[in-house]
Amino acid sequence: MNIRTICLAILAHGEASGYDLKKNWEDGPFSYLGGASFGSIYPALARLEQDGLIKSREETQPGKPARRVYALTEAGREAFVAEMSVTPEKDIFRSHFGIIALCTPFLPRETIARAIDERLKQQRTEIAQLEPLIEQEQHRSVGWLLEWGIAQFKNEVAFIEANRERLEVLAGSTKPGDRREICGIAHTDSTQAAE
Amino acid sequence: MNIRTICLAILAHGEASGYDLKKNWEDGPFSYLGGASFGSIYPALARLEQDGLIKSREETQPGKPARRVYALTEAGREAFVAEMSVTPEKDIFRSHFGIIALCTPFLPRETIARAIDERLKQQRTEIAQLEPLIEQEQHRSVGWLLEWGIAQFKNEVAFIEANRERLEVLAGSTKPGDRREICGIAHTDSTQAAE
DNA sequence: TCTGCCTATATCGGACCGATATATACCGGA
DNA sequence: TCCGGTATATATCGGTCCGATATAGGCAGA
């Protein structure tokens, strides 16, 4: 699912400028679905227009620079429906916190404790930012998605609070790079393992 | 957090070849922390060695092609600890399913129902793949992280099962691109909105 | 008037992914 | 015996995307 598809999806909600798209990702309810930079959005919009999937008009506004507002064409509506109708791709997910947690045995307990504290703080901040948006979006797909995301964040906070001790005690037990195996898996050439 | 850092993190668990790294991401317990392609791994390893953070040796093995095995140097251990000690970056997350759900009003109910079915199937598959790995990783950081991930997947499945009806009934209510506002937010130039 | 901030568009370098190419070695079947 | 399929292993290339930066107009406040 590339940026062009995402632009189509947002434009399905209503016409918007490139700046609007960026602001929606950053501040709006889309933010936790992943970002999109200006460096992606403007070329994507240009190409979508070139392909006839969106059309644009210049809009002058008092007190602000002129902006170029994009809207779906009929062909764009069809392309949008087509791309939303395929089997959803797997999520793209990468977690710095996860990597740090994975390396707990090779790091001092203090480092792990701080990473956990920061993580809890970050996830609680996310919740605090998303929760007030729900009210005005009840009985709407955006509201449902907000609840979906908030439920995930809350679940993670609860898990970490309940289990952090079990991770922290593992800290600092090993020197980095000492062991020959990776996670007890990986080594397919070891003697066929147990069983 | 770039690929080089991730390579350091895995090599902290033990020496490995580029192929090992890839296999660990794909099949091992790291898989849901995000992928890494050969196109990233090999250049990353080359540069890490150039910078003196890892060292390599050729390893000939009977019945298989020779492989180049990498291990952390002392400088690499220090760089690893330094990069794990900073405040963890925000997760990178992008969800095709989330985008589809967001567009529910503009899509037929059948499409949404199928996307939800597929989503449930995918997340249950993840759970089924990760769960057997826990046993051999108990009381280890990898095991903790597996539990962390599984808890998230299970929570999402539970949420969707409990709330899918509420989303599905919203399907097909609107024509794409008709509304002027995006998600009731976005439009900063609207008349200051309703208090 | 100068500075900083918001709106708005645009571009460029570099990082990264996905596909592909290449090579070795094993195994099973025609 | 040769052929194709599979697993191991390294490497490269095109294209996509991010993050930083440039540019520019208008406004508010010092």
Side-chain angles (χ1 to χ4, degrees), chain B:
Chain B
M1 204 205 19
N2 55 29
I3 295 284
R4 288 198 303 284
T5 305
I6 296 175
C7 288
L8 285 182
I10 305 187
L11 290 176
H13 288 76
E15 55 179 30
S17 66
Y19 192 76
D20 285 338
L21 296 185
K22 181 69 159 64
K23 284 298 152 198
N24 264 282
W25 279 116
E26 272 187 0
D27 312 320
F30 304 148
S31 63
Y32 67 102
L33 287 178
S37 68
F38 287 134
S40 312
I41 289 175
Y42 286 111
L45 290 173
R47 193 163 148 192
L48 284 170
E49 184 162 32
Q50 210 181 348
D51 294 348
L53 302 183
I54 60 177
K55 58 182 189 288
S56 71
R57 58 182 171 79
E58 187 93 0
E59 189 182 272
T60 56
Q61 23 175 19
K64 288 179 194 170
R67 60 195 218 123
R68 180 158 292 277
V69 180
Y70 293 89
L72 292 185
T73 62
E74 194 50 49
R77 265 185 282 273
E78 286 169 24
F80 160 72
V81 172
E83 298 195 66
M84 294 296 115
S85 300
V86 298
T87 299
E89 292 166 28
K90 233 185 114 176
D91 295 345
I92 293 168
F93 180 60
R94 172 157 302 164
S95 173
H96 192 179
F97 169 75
I99 302 283
I100 294 174
L102 198 63
C103 296
T104 297
F106 315 118
L107 296 166
R109 175 154 185 171
E110 188 189 290
T111 301
I112 300 302
R114 194 146 34 81
I116 291 174
D117 289 337
E118 287 293 336
R119 179 68 173 188
L120 285 171
K121 193 175 135 197
Q122 284 171 4
Q123 305 305 77
R124 288 193 183 113
T125 303
E126 289 282 351
I127 294 169
Q129 282 171 357
L130 295 177
E131 223 151 27
L133 300 177
I134 284 189
E135 277 177 54
Q136 62 204 81
E137 295 293 339
Q138 273 177 330
H139 311 301
R140 292 231 239 160
S141 61
V142 182
W144 192 90
L145 212 66
L146 285 168
E147 288 177 45
W148 176 72
I150 290 168
Q152 290 296 89
F153 286 124
K154 284 190 173 174
N155 185 66
E156 191 193 331
V157 168
F159 178 87
I160 293 178
E161 283 175 341
N163 295 281
R164 63 178 295 172
E165 185 68 19
R166 275 174 47 224
L167 183 65
E168 285 183 49
V169 295
L170 301 175
S173 59
T174 318
K175 196 181 154 196
D178 261 14
R179 300 219 317 280
R180 252 218 72 133
E181 24 120 43
I182 300 186
C183 292
I185 309 207
H187 256 278
T188 46
D189 61 347
S190 66
T191 53
Q192 206 56 16
E195 155 82 27

Side-chain angles (χ1 to χ4, degrees), chain A residues 64-119:
Chain A
K64 288 179 194 170
R67 60 195 219 124
R68 181 157 292 278
V69 179
Y70 293 89
L72 292 185
T73 62
E74 194 51 48
R77 265 185 281 272
E78 287 169 23
F80 160 73
V81 172
E83 298 196 66
M84 294 295 114
S85 301
V86 299
T87 300
E89 294 166 26
K90 232 185 115 178
D91 294 346
I92 293 168
F93 180 60
R94 172 158 303 162
S95 173
H96 192 178
F97 170 75
I99 302 284
I100 294 174
L102 198 64
C103 296
T104 297
F106 315 117
L107 297 166
R109 176 154 184 172
E110 187 189 290
T111 301
I112 300 302
R114 193 147 34 82
I116 291 174
D117 289 336
E118 287 292 336
R119 179 69 173 188

Side-chain angles (χ1 to χ4, degrees), chain A residues 161-175:
Chain A
E161 282 175 341
N163 296 281
R164 64 178 294 173
E165 186 69 19
R166 275 173 48 223
L167 183 66
E168 286 184 49
V169 296
L170 301 175
S173 60
T174 318
K175 197 182 155 198

Side-chain angles (χ1 to χ4, degrees), chain A residues 32-158:
Chain A
Y32 68 101
L33 288 179
S37 68
F38 287 133
S40 313
I41 288 175
Y42 286 112
L45 290 173
R47 193 164 148 192
L48 284 169
E49 184 162 32
Q50 209 181 348
D51 294 348
L53 301 184
I54 61 177
K55 58 181 189 289
S56 71
R57 58 182 170 79
E58 187 93 1
E59 190 182 272
T60 56
Q61 23 174 22
K64 288 179 194 170
R67 60 195 219 124
R68 181 157 292 278
V69 179
Y70 293 89
L72 292 185
T73 62
E74 194 51 48
R77 265 185 281 272
E78 287 169 23
F80 160 73
V81 172
E83 298 196 66
M84 294 295 114
S85 301
V86 299
T87 300
E89 294 166 26
K90 232 185 115 178
D91 294 346
I92 293 168
F93 180 60
R94 172 158 303 162
S95 173
H96 192 178
F97 170 75
I99 302 284
I100 294 174
L102 198 64
C103 296
T104 297
F106 315 117
L107 297 166
R109 176 154 184 172
E110 187 189 290
T111 301
I112 300 302
R114 193 147 34 82
I116 291 174
D117 289 336
E118 287 292 336
R119 179 69 173 188
L120 284 171
K121 192 174 136 198
Q122 284 171 4
Q123 305 305 75
R124 287 193 184 114
T125 304
E126 289 281 350
I127 293 169
Q129 281 172 355
L130 295 177
E131 222 152 27
L133 300 178
I134 284 190
E135 278 178 53
Q136 61 204 81
E137 295 293 340
Q138 273 177 329
H139 312 302
R140 293 230 240 160
S141 62
V142 181
W144 193 90
L145 212 65
L146 286 168
E147 289 178 43
W148 176 72
I150 290 169
Q152 290 296 91
F153 286 124
K154 284 191 173 174
N155 185 65
E156 192 193 330
V157 168

